[in-house]
Amino acid sequence: MGRATLADIKGKDFSELAKETKTITEDTNKVSDTNKSRNTTSSNSRGKKNRQRHRKMAMPAAVVVTPVQRLFDTCKGVFAFARTGIVPTPDKIEQLRAVLDEIQPADVGLTPQMPFFSPPVAGQVPKITYLHIHECEKFSIGIFCLPPSGVLPLHNHPGMTVFSKLLFGTMHIKSYDWVVDVPSNASAAVDPSQSVQHPEVRLAKVKVDSDFTSPCNTSILYPADGGNMHCFTAVTACAVLDVLGPPYSDPEGRHCTYYFDYPFTEFSVDGVTVPEEEKDKHAWLQERDKPEDLAVVGALYTGPEIVE
């Protein structure tokens, strides 16, 4: 998922964790001041006990690592050597998958009642909201918030490994991988008898074409497998936590490309055949401009803060 046009959205807010930490610190300081006063006015034996008690109370409390902080820390290790086309090792993949599988909407400050998820006004294209959490040259973390019927159109993830965690709701996912043993960028004839040519298309095989309802396992796509080109359609209001490694980058050749998809039987390409029973599992993909009706806006992420 992820849109290159969202790379500059850097929304952060004060988190509840920060507020709680501040409150705990203030309470601890009050206790410390009280104990100091008692030590000054009490006897030597009482002072010794109070000093011992004060030392115990002044010991730093155990640091609570939030789920989103754990996600960030894990990403730093998993994508330490990320670059175009480099896939993390299987053990690193499973490590990050396990962390994402445990994350709940509340862990990132989301509820289905938020305005991002309200049904669109009749006749208007559903607006998708992107909550930026973190981005660096190695990876990015963000959340797509889709109202009912919201669509992230078919697009690719060149040279990237992408983890998508459905936080709540039901979503239809259709994804493809390129068929590698056929000519790419072939010109297809719409009607072979009339030699009517269609702009360049490329053959792809359907990887996934199903509804998914939370809770479900985190999905993973790879540079050449797992459904690198996909389309998301919100059956109900839903939210998807996305981790991309490495993220989109035009200078490094990781440009987000959108596609039309056409049934295999719609075109004919010389030298390309598919068994009859496999035809419905294949499609022709054609590059297109970014859809004009795609409305993705950035909003402030208000979940727990990440400490870098």
Side-chain angles (χ1 to χ4, degrees):
M1 288 182 290
R3 298 278 76 78
T5 54
L6 298 178
D8 293 329
I9 298 175
K10 305 291 184 183
K12 284 189 178 180
D13 197 4
F14 297 107
S15 66
E16 291 303 315
L17 178 62
K19 294 178 182 178
E20 294 172 1
T21 302
K22 181 180 179 182
T23 302
I24 292 172
T25 302
E26 292 173 348
D27 291 345
T28 301
N29 289 339
K30 289 179 182 178
V31 172
S32 298
D33 291 342
T34 300
N35 286 339
K36 287 180 182 178
S37 176
R38 290 176 178 173
N39 286 342
T40 302
T41 58
S42 64
S43 65
N44 289 339
S45 59
R46 293 279 296 177
K48 183 177 181 181
K49 292 180 180 179
N50 283 339
R51 285 193 295 273
Q52 292 173 342
R53 185 183 301 114
H54 173 64
R55 283 196 295 270
K56 291 180 180 179
M57 297 181 70
M59 291 177 63
V63 176
V64 177
V65 179
T66 64
V68 72
Q69 182 69 48
R70 185 177 299 110
L71 172 62
F72 171 76
D73 293 340
T74 303
C75 286
K76 286 200 299 183
V78 170
F79 295 113
F81 305 102
R83 62 182 187 272
T84 303
I86 300 300
V87 177
T89 58
D91 61 315
K92 295 293 186 182
I93 293 286
E94 290 306 315
Q95 181 185 6
L96 183 50
R97 186 209 298 265
V99 172
L100 282 164
D101 280 345
E102 295 299 319
I103 291 183
Q104 303 298 316
D107 296 330
V108 289
L110 285 185
T111 69
Q113 289 72 41
M114 287 179 163
F116 314 135
F117 307 108
S118 300
V121 177
Q124 292 188 3
V125 176
K127 185 180 296 184
I128 297 169
T129 303
Y130 180 75
L131 308 178
H132 171 88
I133 298 177
H134 175 82
E135 182 171 336
C136 61
E137 64 178 9
K138 299 295 185 181
F139 64 92
S140 66
I141 306 172
I143 304 170
F144 285 94
C145 304
L146 288 78
S149 301
V151 177
L152 278 172
L154 187 62
H155 61 281
N156 70 346
H157 307 81
M160 301 154 66
T161 303
V162 179
F163 296 72
S164 298
K165 163 69 174 180
L166 184 61
L167 295 170
F168 64 81
T170 297
M171 171 180 286
H172 185 86
I173 300 177
K174 188 169 188 179
S175 65
Y176 299 91
D177 288 313
W178 296 122
V179 176
V180 297
D181 55 352
V182 298
S184 61
N185 299 326
S187 293
V190 179
D191 184 347
S193 65
Q194 299 180 12
S195 298
V196 177
Q197 297 299 309
H198 196 77
E200 292 181 342
V201 294
R202 185 174 176 183
L203 186 63
K205 186 172 183 179
V206 176
K207 181 68 176 182
V208 173
D209 189 7
S210 302
D211 286 350
F212 291 83
T213 299
S214 179
C216 57
N217 293 334
T218 299
S219 64
I220 307 173
L221 62 83
Y222 304 93
D225 190 22
N228 187 274
M229 290 80 67
H230 65 201
C231 172
F232 286 177
T233 303
V235 178
T236 69
C238 55
V240 182
L241 175 59
D242 240 12
V243 176
L244 288 69
Y248 287 108
S249 171
D250 286 349
E252 296 184 18
R254 298 188 299 273
H255 174 70
C256 182
T257 302
Y258 296 89
Y259 299 91
F260 292 114
D261 56 342
Y262 300 100
F264 178 81
T265 55
E266 188 161 330
F267 302 134
S268 174
V269 173
D270 289 342
V272 178
T273 60
V274 169
E276 188 66 34
E277 66 274 13
E278 291 286 320
K279 288 182 178 180
D280 62 343
K281 299 176 183 177
H282 289 75
W284 298 103
L285 303 192
Q286 177 196 12
E287 290 188 16
R288 61 178 297 189
D289 293 332
K290 180 181 177 181
E292 293 183 358
D293 60 353
L294 174 59
V296 181
V297 297
L300 198 66
Y301 166 71
T302 57
E305 184 179 6
I306 285 177
V307 179
E308 299 183 19

